[in-house]
Amino acid sequence: MASDPYLQKRQAMVENDIKGRGIKDKRVLEVMGKIPRHLFVDEHLRDRAYADYPLPIGEGQTISQPYVVSLMTEALMLRPTDRVLEIGTGSGYQAAVLAEIVKEVYTIEIRKSLADMAAKRLKDLGYKNVKVKHADGYSGWEEYASFDAIIITAAANHIPPPLIKQLKEGGRLIIPLGSTVYYQVLTLVAKRKGELDVEQIGPVAFVPMVGEAQRRK
Ligand code: SAH
């Protein structure tokens, strides 16, 4: 196998920006140190793929900062047998991170060109446990519900009710919640006996969830 020219940058990212900021989950650290993030961005951005900020992926959208990807993934406390739903496929990077950790990943992207690109990329990288759908993620993915965990990687001012419905009892959901213009509060929700336990993790800045989420403001 050819040597990986990005190995050093990737290791530095894990040490400084992820571990260094308090992410402890061994599986998350391992996976962030393994996935070729540079293959999820345009060729001219590859040198910056492991930097401590989000990058453009076209259509005004972004691939999240590595730290935020690991923070959200860790918060879900995933198990190898889990089935996870992601809203906002974008580049497919977060889906790949999930796919390395859990059994099945279902991911929905509203912009067709991004959905198509991510699906091809994930297939080329050999991920067989990820299904990509081009649709508005507001209504979730009924056909494959319910899910052990749900991750929403676009900002909304409310949690789409269909997603709460499609979350298993005992399951966890994470979403950047609040204003879709400036920043949001990363919010973790656990479903227990039909009730929601809500925990605010901290401020983040995500692109807005569009479609139904904006009509229901
Ligand atoms: N998780 C992605 C980054 C997400 S950026 C990654 O790892 O690269 C947010 C994405 O959410 C964008 O691609 C945007 O098009 C998508 N999005 C916005 N509103 C959506 C909706 N209603 N349903 C599905 N995807 C949506």
Side-chain angles (χ1 to χ4, degrees):
M1 216 173 96
S3 73
D4 180 352
Y6 291 95
L7 184 62
Q8 251 185 342
K9 281 189 173 177
R10 192 156 59 241
Q11 283 173 344
M13 168 190 87
V14 172
E15 279 309 310
N16 305 330
D17 305 330
I18 300 179
K19 222 171 162 179
R21 283 218 195 83
I23 301 296
K24 290 188 180 69
D25 187 317
K26 286 224 167 53
R27 194 67 191 116
V28 173
L29 294 170
E30 198 182 310
V31 164
M32 297 295 295
K34 172 181 164 188
I35 298 181
R37 184 171 158 96
H38 59 280
L39 298 181
F40 289 81
V41 298
D42 253 23
E43 229 168 317
H44 74 284
L45 293 172
R46 282 193 185 157
D47 271 349
R48 285 189 273 158
Y50 298 95
D52 192 22
Y53 43 74
L55 287 171
I57 54 171
E59 304 233 8
Q61 307 305 304
T62 53
I63 176 174
S64 306
Q65 177 190 12
Y67 170 65
V68 172
V69 172
S70 43
L71 181 66
M72 292 175 85
T73 309
E74 180 177 67
L76 291 173
M77 296 176 69
L78 301 166
R79 291 158 305 187
T81 51
D82 282 351
R83 299 170 60 255
V84 180
L85 174 68
E86 178 192 28
I87 309 303
T89 314
S91 67
Y93 179 69
Q94 173 74 71
V97 170
L98 296 167
E100 294 277 353
I101 299 175
V102 303
K103 186 158 166 247
E104 290 163 21
V105 178
Y106 299 85
T107 180
I108 306 178
E109 169 56 54
I110 202 166
R111 291 179 168 91
K112 181 147 192 341
S113 65
L114 294 179
D116 290 349
M117 253 197 303
K120 178 173 188 310
R121 184 177 279 142
L122 289 163
K123 185 169 173 265
D124 290 349
L125 287 169
Y127 290 101
K128 295 196 169 65
N129 58 341
V130 186
K131 272 194 171 35
V132 182
K133 173 160 99 161
H134 167 229
D136 185 336
Y138 193 90
S139 18
W141 202 334
E142 189 63 50
E143 191 187 349
Y144 293 105
S146 51
F147 302 97
D148 299 288
I150 300 180
I151 177 169
I152 299 132
T153 63
N157 64 2
H158 65 282
I159 306 174
L163 298 184
I164 295 174
K165 231 176 161 178
Q166 291 177 20
L167 183 64
K168 263 188 205 164
E169 173 61 36
R172 290 163 170 259
L173 175 151
I174 194 160
I175 179 170
L177 199 60
S179 152
T180 51
V181 185
Y182 299 106
Y183 67 91
Q184 307 88 34
V185 178
L186 192 57
T187 305
L188 180 67
V189 169
K191 195 177 188 176
R192 288 201 191 95
K193 297 188 183 128
E195 302 270 303
L196 301 182
D197 272 1
V198 179
E199 184 190 331
Q200 299 192 325
I201 298 179
V204 283
F206 273 81
V207 294
M209 187 168 177
V210 296
E212 190 66 19
Q214 293 194 321
R215 291 191 282 274
R216 301 267 184 111
K217 254 181 195 170

